[in-house]
């Protein structure tokens, strides 16, 4: 059963009880995370995307608190003087007491205020604070764990900031402090231990122990209730981190997680049932033109095709118009992110496409950062050869065009056989000879530092997908985040996603899953699992997710081989779709973006998309089961885009109106369920 969205304000022991209605102008919200203006992982996306909405709701009384990272501040933060008099006094007092606290605006949507704490400047207090932590909380932090040491410094500085702010207030304050993950959690524990007048919220986006256990290939979900958590954390040398995380979860007035699957995990590993499930959202930007995102897909796909032409030069024996681009992206966790099952499914898909004599070619991209020392020379050479061929074609075209123009000027029809002379043919032959290569197109675009032990490369060696001419499935491993400044594949991640046909994320451990959510917002179908927060969320709100381009893989109630067969079936069905069917599915997928808008996720009411009225685009549900059916057959399928879109719009209510913080007003607290 999904957890109710409720907010308890009566359990704030030691604090004055808030009335059902209070003037929110007197309340201040601090949101504390290690990833404020410091990109490390998914929490950065959470905070960045919801900052605009939170600023609209809380106005000048919303402050983000994070670590001071000079490289990030230089490009992302405008340092200014605080407008809030209480906060100005607080920062001045801390700076005069041996701290370095910075204040500014984070240059993102909403331009939220940020308070940045320099943990390195106060490192001289580390031993003293660690002793205090041991004496008051019985949590010991070893000297060699730098990340945990930073968490101690950040936690004590955060508690110092909140305590000083409360002391500087002229009247009893209403302070809410929202802490994200274990790296910020110690500040919450200290607030409670010192009995500060602060209402605390702790959100875990993924439990530490859960991530480690899943990476260790254990039967995690079936044995969740059986783990000896102290022993498991100790065996993995993360007991001190686990204690910090568990203490924060247990001490918080309100404990939240991002998905129902993580709520179950937290109840067993952190020993507290979350009070609220708060799914992660995105800032959804709608195009004024109905199908503008389809045009963006075509443009980005053309750029990916250019890269593919260079990467497979000399072996470009497949039709790019009948090529489907798949991708998986994210943190390089081979098993947790499902790269293992994806590769196995690709091997089985390759067999199915070959025995069915399919004309479709699959190119699967793996975008996962790993340790490299540079680009692969053969990969760079491919792009150089492609550019040289393009330049040759342009030169011949110009010479041909000039001769054609001169022939027409004198009133003669051109003799095509004389339009290209011997020099032109020599130039083209040299260009063709340059495309010959003796080796197969490379699997990896970079030189790997640990090539012999890399999980993806070793799996590819085992299943034998080497980009040979006989293979209908090709693999490209790009072990680096995408960038528009790359000399190899000059595309930002968002552009790349828009150009692909399907995102594949068969994760075993995925508390939420921003990668499939980003695909949905951009109108790109994706495969997720019922062990990811995103997959469970979509199953809850869509009657038939696959009809909308959201394929949910069962990894909870099926064995690995069964899940792999199901994934292979999803991929094979997707390959059978015609171009028109894929367009229909992208339209449906893009309409689901409203479900992931922060404005909708802030409401307590539910919504659910029904099954589409028209025939689903998936061949598995249509009358055309043959992979060779014609495009003409598709034209007879009953589908009215505008009518179907209007029906979908009825099923999702308008977002709530945010209060204007520039006016004096009184609002009520959320009702208890």
């Amino acid at each position: 059963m999904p957890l109710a969205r409720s907010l308890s304000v009566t359990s704030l022991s030691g604090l004055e009880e808030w009335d059902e209605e209070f003037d929110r102008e007197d309340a201040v919200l601090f949101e504390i995370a290690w990833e404020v203006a410091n990109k490390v992982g998914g929490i950065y996306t959470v905070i960045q995307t919801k900052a605009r909405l939170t600023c609209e709701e809380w106005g000048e009384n919303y402050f983000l608190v994070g670590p001071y990272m000079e490289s990030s501040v230089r490009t992302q933060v405008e340092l200014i003087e605080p407008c809030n008099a209480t906060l100005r006094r607080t920062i001045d007092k801390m700076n005069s007491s041996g701290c370095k606290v910075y204040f500014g605006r984070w240059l993102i949507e909403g331009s939220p205020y940020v308070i940045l704490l320099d943990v390195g400047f106060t490192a001289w207090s580390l031993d003293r604070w660690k002793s205090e932590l041991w004496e008051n909380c019985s949590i010991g932090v070893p000297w060699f764990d730098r990340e945990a040491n930073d968490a101690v410094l950040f936690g004590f500085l955060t508690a110092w900031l909140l305590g000083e702010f409360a002391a500087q207030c002229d009247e009893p304050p209403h302070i809410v402090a929202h802490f994200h993950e274990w790296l910020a959690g110690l500040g919450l524990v200290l607030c409670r231990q010192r009995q500060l007048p602060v209402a605390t919220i702790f959100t875990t986006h993924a439990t530490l122990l859960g991530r480690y256990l899943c990476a260790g290939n254990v039967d995690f979900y079936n044995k969740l209730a059986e783990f000896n958590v102290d022993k498991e954390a100790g065996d993995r040398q993360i007991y001190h981190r686990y204690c910090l995380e568990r203490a924060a979860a247990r001490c918080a007035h309100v404990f939240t997680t991002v998905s129902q699957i993580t709520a179950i995990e937290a109840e067993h590993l952190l020993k507290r049932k979350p009070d609220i499930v708060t799914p992660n959202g995105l800032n959804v930007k709608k195009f004024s033109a109905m199908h503008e995102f389809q045009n963006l897909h075509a443009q980005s796909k053309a750029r990916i095709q250019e890269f593919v032409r260079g990467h497979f030069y000399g072996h470009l024996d497949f039709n790019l118009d009948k090529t489907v681009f798949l991708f998986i992206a994210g943190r390089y966790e081979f098993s947790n992110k499902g790269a293992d099952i994806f590769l196995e499914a690709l091997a089985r898909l390759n067999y199915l496409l070959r025995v069915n004599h399919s004309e479709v070619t699959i190119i699967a991209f793996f975008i996962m950062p790993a340790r490299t020392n540079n680009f692969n020379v053969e990969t760079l050479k491919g792009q150089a050869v492609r550019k040289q061929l393009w330049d040759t074609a342009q030169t011949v075209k110009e010479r041909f065009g000039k001769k054609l123009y001169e022939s027409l000027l004198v009133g003669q029809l051109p003799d095509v056989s004389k339009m290209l002379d011997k020099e032109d043919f020599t130039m083209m032959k040299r260009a063709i000879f340059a495309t010959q290569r003796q080796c197969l197109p490379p699997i990896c675009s970079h030189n790997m530092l640990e090539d012999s032990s890399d999980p993806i490369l070793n799996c590819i060696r085992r299943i034998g997908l080497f980009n040979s001419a006989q293979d209908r499935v090709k693999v490209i491993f790009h072990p680096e985040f995408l960038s528009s400044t790359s000399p190899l594949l000059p595309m930002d991640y968002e552009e790349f996603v828009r150009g692909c046909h399907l995102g594949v994320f068969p994760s075993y451990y995925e508390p939420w899953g921003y990668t499939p959510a980003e695909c949905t917002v951009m109108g790109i179908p994706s495969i997720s699992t019922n062990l990811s927060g995103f997959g469970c969320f979509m199953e809850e709100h869509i009657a038939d997710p696959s009809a909308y381009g959201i394929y949910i893989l069962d990894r909870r109630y099926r064995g690995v081989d069964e899940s792999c067969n199901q994934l292979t079936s999803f991929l094979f069905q997707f390959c059978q779709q015609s171009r028109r069917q894929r367009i229909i599915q992208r339209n449906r997928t893009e309409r689901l973006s409203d479900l992931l808008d922060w404005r909708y996720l802030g409401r307590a009411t539910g919504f659910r998309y029904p099954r589409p009225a028209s025939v689903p685009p998936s061949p598995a549900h249509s009358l055309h089961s043959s992979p060779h059916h014609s495009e003409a057959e598709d034209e007879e399928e009953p589908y009215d885009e505008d009518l179907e879109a209007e029906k979908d719009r009825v099923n999702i209510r308008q977002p709530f109106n945010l209060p204007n913080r520039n006016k004096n007003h009184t609002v009520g607290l959320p009702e208890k369920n």
Side-chain angles (χ1 to χ4, degrees):
M1 292 294 292
L3 296 176
R5 285 177 170 270
S6 60
L7 180 61
S8 172
V9 294
T10 59
S11 62
L12 312 185
S13 57
L15 302 182
E16 179 185 350
E17 287 195 9
W18 293 356
D19 297 329
E20 281 301 310
E21 290 191 356
F22 71 99
D23 189 354
R24 201 188 289 182
E25 290 293 336
D26 295 332
V28 180
L29 171 62
F30 291 91
E31 188 161 9
I32 302 105
W34 186 257
E35 297 193 35
V36 170
N38 176 37
K39 187 170 186 179
V40 179
I43 301 173
Y44 178 91
T45 305
V46 174
I47 295 170
Q48 182 193 41
T49 54
K50 77 181 181 71
R52 176 173 61 84
L53 189 69
T54 313
C55 285
E56 289 177 17
E57 184 174 357
W58 286 83
E60 299 290 304
N61 291 350
Y62 173 55
F63 303 99
L64 287 161
V65 181
Y68 176 80
M69 301 291 180
E70 187 175 351
S71 58
S72 299
V73 170
R74 216 182 286 127
T75 57
Q76 297 184 42
V77 178
E78 177 192 8
L79 296 177
I80 59 174
E81 285 295 318
C83 299
N84 186 299
T86 305
L87 187 60
R88 190 185 312 117
R89 292 195 300 270
T90 300
I91 293 176
D92 289 342
K93 182 70 179 296
M94 291 182 68
N95 284 338
S96 64
S97 302
C99 296
K100 266 197 176 180
V101 182
Y102 299 84
F103 184 84
R105 282 195 180 275
W106 191 2
L107 302 179
I108 59 173
E109 273 194 278
S111 299
Y113 290 129
V114 289
I115 303 168
L116 303 175
L117 308 172
D118 192 338
V119 296
F121 190 78
T122 51
W124 54 272
S125 300
L126 180 60
D127 288 339
R128 177 166 58 87
W129 285 345
K130 286 167 74 170
S131 297
E132 184 180 336
L133 177 63
W134 172 254
E135 291 168 3
N136 295 329
C137 305
S138 299
I139 298 176
V141 177
W143 63 270
F144 57 80
D145 190 341
R146 181 174 178 178
E147 196 172 19
N149 288 335
D150 286 343
V152 171
L153 292 168
F154 187 56
F156 272 86
L157 286 171
T158 301
W160 188 350
L161 173 74
L162 295 173
E164 190 64 46
F165 183 86
Q168 294 291 341
C169 289
D170 299 326
E171 298 178 0
H174 288 114
I175 303 174
V176 180
H178 184 185
F179 297 82
H180 292 269
E181 285 290 343
W182 74 275
L183 278 163
L186 179 57
L188 186 153
V189 177
L190 293 172
C191 285
R192 297 304 304 275
Q193 189 265 327
R194 297 174 181 178
Q195 296 185 348
L196 298 180
V198 177
T200 57
I201 305 169
F202 182 68
T203 296
T204 180
H205 297 258
T207 68
L208 266 172
L209 187 55
R211 191 180 294 279
Y212 273 81
L213 286 169
C214 287
N217 294 320
V218 301
D219 189 4
F220 181 67
Y221 294 98
N222 289 327
K223 296 183 178 179
L224 194 52
E226 303 172 14
F227 289 118
N228 182 336
V229 291
D230 294 310
K231 180 181 183 303
E232 297 291 349
D235 290 346
R236 288 158 178 79
Q237 299 183 19
I238 58 165
Y239 186 67
H240 55 290
R241 297 186 180 195
Y242 168 73
C243 287
L244 291 173
E245 181 182 38
R246 181 168 168 176
R250 297 294 295 273
C251 289
H253 294 115
V254 177
F255 176 42
T256 81
T257 59
V258 297
S259 65
Q260 182 63 30
I261 196 76
T262 314
I264 298 169
E265 174 188 342
E267 186 175 358
H268 287 94
L269 300 186
L270 299 181
K271 306 304 179 183
R272 178 173 176 181
K273 185 177 182 179
D275 304 295
I276 315 169
V277 169
T278 53
N280 288 331
L282 289 163
N283 271 338
V284 177
K285 298 178 182 177
K286 289 290 187 178
F287 294 103
S288 54
M290 187 71 173
H291 300 299
E292 180 61 24
F293 76 96
Q294 296 278 12
N295 297 332
L296 292 175
H297 166 74
Q299 294 168 14
S300 295
K301 183 178 72 172
R303 296 179 64 184
I304 297 175
Q305 287 176 335
E306 280 301 291
F307 166 78
V308 169
R309 289 187 176 100
H311 192 84
F312 289 91
Y313 83 91
H315 294 271
L316 200 64
D317 51 1
F318 51 90
N319 187 349
L320 280 175
D321 290 331
K322 294 184 178 180
T323 299
V324 174
F325 298 135
L326 314 180
F327 82 98
I328 183 173
R331 187 187 290 112
Y332 195 173
E333 295 179 1
F334 185 63
S335 298
N336 282 0
K337 295 296 183 182
D340 52 350
I341 193 173
F342 184 28
L343 281 167
E344 185 63 41
L346 287 175
R348 301 181 187 188
L349 176 66
N350 185 48
Y351 172 78
L352 287 176
L353 293 175
R354 288 174 64 177
V355 298
N356 283 281
H357 305 290
S358 174
E359 296 179 353
V360 174
T361 299
I362 300 295
I363 296 182
F365 290 89
F366 287 74
I367 313 295
M368 291 179 158
R371 296 180 62 202
T372 66
N373 61 14
N374 215 326
F375 293 106
N376 186 307
V377 172
E378 187 64 27
T379 307
L380 287 173
K381 180 183 176 183
Q383 300 308 312
V385 169
R386 177 194 61 77
K387 189 176 185 306
Q388 182 61 43
L389 285 173
W390 174 260
D391 292 342
T392 300
Q394 291 299 107
T395 302
V396 173
K397 185 178 77 170
E398 289 176 7
R399 290 160 65 102
F400 183 92
K402 185 177 180 182
K403 293 175 184 178
L404 176 63
Y405 173 65
E406 291 174 348
S407 176
L408 294 175
L409 277 177
V410 298
Q412 295 179 357
L413 288 174
D415 185 353
V416 179
S417 62
K418 297 179 180 179
M419 296 300 287
L420 296 176
D421 55 27
K422 187 175 181 181
E423 185 179 350
D424 294 327
F425 279 104
T426 300
M427 189 185 306
M428 289 188 289
K429 287 178 181 178
R430 288 178 61 186
I432 291 173
F433 290 156
T435 65
Q436 297 178 359
R437 72 197 307 182
Q438 302 303 317
C439 60
L440 292 173
I443 297 292
C444 188
S445 59
H446 292 59
N447 294 323
M448 302 288 291
L449 288 180
E450 300 168 352
D451 182 286
S452 61
S453 59
D454 184 79
I456 288 180
L457 295 181
N458 279 339
C459 186
I460 289 173
R461 293 177 184 121
R462 179 179 61 81
I463 61 181
L465 286 180
F466 299 125
N467 293 344
S468 64
Q470 296 77 27
D471 290 328
R472 296 268 48 84
V473 173
K474 320 286 186 180
V475 178
I476 299 175
F477 179 24
H478 189 280
E480 189 178 69
F481 285 128
L482 296 168
S483 170
S484 58
T485 59
S486 169
L488 189 64
L489 184 55
M491 299 180 75
D492 287 328
Y493 178 72
E494 181 179 337
E495 296 176 289
F496 175 80
V497 171
R498 286 193 183 277
C500 290
H501 297 94
L502 180 71
V504 185
F505 314 104
S507 304
Y508 183 74
Y509 185 78
E510 191 71 79
W512 175 245
Y514 258 119
T515 41
E518 289 166 339
C519 285
T520 304
V521 169
M522 288 185 265
I524 303 301
S526 63
I527 295 176
S528 187
T529 76
N530 58 356
L531 290 180
S532 75
F534 172 84
C536 295
F537 180 82
M538 285 300 180
E539 280 189 319
E540 181 184 347
H541 292 95
I542 307 174
D544 185 2
S546 63
Y548 285 92
I550 308 295
Y551 299 90
I552 309 298
L553 183 68
D554 185 0
R555 295 207 64 181
R556 188 170 186 184
Y557 303 109
R558 298 190 185 201
V560 176
D561 189 62
E562 286 182 285
S563 297
C564 190
N565 284 335
Q566 186 185 20
L567 178 57
T568 306
S569 176
F570 285 161
L571 296 176
F572 187 59
Q573 290 172 20
F574 191 84
C575 293
Q576 295 180 59
Q577 291 184 14
S578 65
R579 181 174 177 273
R580 180 173 181 269
Q581 287 174 321
R582 290 199 298 268
I583 290 173
I584 292 173
Q585 193 170 63
R586 282 197 296 273
N587 286 336
R588 291 175 177 169
T589 303
E590 195 270 343
R591 288 202 299 276
L592 297 181
S593 59
D594 283 340
L595 292 176
L596 301 169
D597 195 326
W598 278 115
R599 292 180 178 272
Y600 287 88
L601 292 174
R603 301 177 313 163
T605 52
F607 36 77
R608 185 172 174 85
Y609 273 68
R611 190 170 181 271
S614 60
V615 64
S618 171
H621 299 101
S622 69
L623 297 176
H624 310 297
S625 57
S626 167
H628 306 293
H629 71 271
S630 68
E631 296 282 339
E633 291 177 300
D634 297 328
E635 299 301 326
E636 299 175 4
E637 294 182 2
Y639 175 75
D640 187 322
E641 166 65 22
D642 294 331
L643 179 62
E644 189 174 285
E646 183 58 36
K647 288 181 178 179
D648 281 344
R649 276 192 288 271
V650 170
N651 286 283
I652 184 165
R653 302 179 181 91
Q654 292 300 311
F656 70 102
N657 293 321
L658 291 171
N660 186 349
R661 295 310 311 274
N662 296 324
K663 299 179 181 179
N664 292 326
H665 64 281
T666 299
V667 296
L669 287 173
E671 295 180 359
K672 299 176 186 177
N673 290 341

